[in-house]
Structure formats: C-alpha cells, structure tokens
Amino acid sequence: MAKERIINTKFWNDTWVRENLNALDRYFFIYLLTNDKTNISGIYEIPLSTIALETGIDQKEINSVMWLKLKPRVYYKNGWVIIKNFLKHQHLQSDSVVQGITRELNQVPNDILLFAKGRGYGEGLGMVGGVSNILNLTKL
C-alpha cells in the first residue's frame, strides 16, 4: 500500500527551521518525514546505512552532524527515528487514525517509547481532538 505524506507549506516559515537549518539539514528533515519507512506515529525503525544510501549523505556526517542539528525535533536511538511533534500534525479526531497510531506504537520497543516520551513525544495532545495522551493507549 502506497503512503503519502503532506508537508505543510508552513514548514518553510517555521522559525526553528529558518533559523537553525541550512539547505542540507532541511533536505534531511524532509527525508525523515517522507521516506518509505515512516508511519503515522512518527516513530519508525530504519538503519543508518539505508538513510545514508537514500540521501547520499555519508554515515559519519549523519552521526556527527545531522542528528545534532535536528535536536530537539528529531532523535535517533538504536536504529529508530523519533519525530517529536509528528502526532500534532495528524488528524487525531479520526478513530481510524488513532487506531493506526496505536497499532504502530505497539510495535515500538518499550525502551524507545520511554526515550521518546522522555523527550516530549506525545505532549500536549489533550487539547487535540480530545485525545488525553495517545501513549497511554499503548503498551507502556
């Protein structure tokens, strides 16, 4: 099944993006939002070698520079990408979307979920679509 990701045009006007990311950083960030391993939860497993191959960015540069530039918005831990605010951009009023997110999060190892939650993943969802905290629906 093909997936689609919509990049909001506000991405280019986001103060953090404009002030902190150069063109390569923006390209890398958009890659992390749109590659074929991404899913509706914003937490997914992808090997560093795949990222390097698909982006054309050297693995050493990704490890030493790229991840650091994207903090605190994106983290990489033990082969898992965590996009901190990904859920805020989903249609959480839809039961099927919430079920899809829950299904994906249930496949994430507990240590990765705890790491993500400790960095603010899922915060502030109580105001969005009546979802108190989607992480409480998972195995945590």
Side-chain angles (χ1 to χ4, degrees):
M1 173 188 236
K3 293 184 268 187
E4 295 179 0
R5 291 287 173 254
I6 297 171
I7 303 295
N8 192 313
T9 57
K10 292 178 184 177
F11 175 86
W12 303 106
N13 293 319
D14 182 276
T15 303
W16 183 81
V17 170
R18 278 195 341 253
E19 294 179 0
N20 296 293
L21 304 182
N22 65 34
L24 183 60
D25 302 331
R26 292 173 187 162
Y27 164 74
F28 186 61
F29 195 0
I30 289 174
Y31 167 79
L32 295 173
L33 294 170
T34 62
N35 72 76
D36 70 347
K37 301 289 188 225
T38 188
N39 63 50
I40 198 163
S41 76
I43 299 178
Y44 59 91
E45 187 174 27
I46 185 170
L48 186 59
S49 59
T50 299
I51 295 170
L53 178 68
E54 292 181 347
T55 62
I57 303 170
D58 183 74
Q59 284 188 41
K60 290 178 186 173
E61 184 175 356
I62 292 170
N63 267 334
S64 65
V65 178
M66 303 305 290
W67 296 122
L68 296 173
K69 295 280 279 265
L70 295 184
K71 284 182 183 177
R73 304 279 175 102
V74 179
Y75 297 92
Y76 189 72
K77 178 152 177 80
N78 300 337
W80 290 81
V81 171
I82 301 150
I83 303 172
K84 179 182 169 185
N85 294 329
F86 200 84
L87 294 181
K88 291 181 182 179
H89 301 282
Q90 303 307 311
H91 185 66
L92 298 177
Q93 296 83 356
S94 166
D95 288 340
S96 61
V97 169
V98 172
Q99 290 170 2
I101 293 167
T102 303
R103 185 174 43 256
E104 293 295 338
L105 290 177
N106 278 324
Q107 295 180 38
V108 177
N110 277 338
D111 65 316
I112 300 299
L113 283 175
L114 289 170
F115 177 85
K117 195 171 180 178
R119 272 127 193 102
Y121 177 84
E123 283 181 358
L125 295 180
M127 302 298 283
V128 182
V131 178
S132 61
N133 187 344
I134 205 160
L135 288 176
N136 290 335
L137 301 175
T138 66
K139 58 188 174 181
L140 278 180

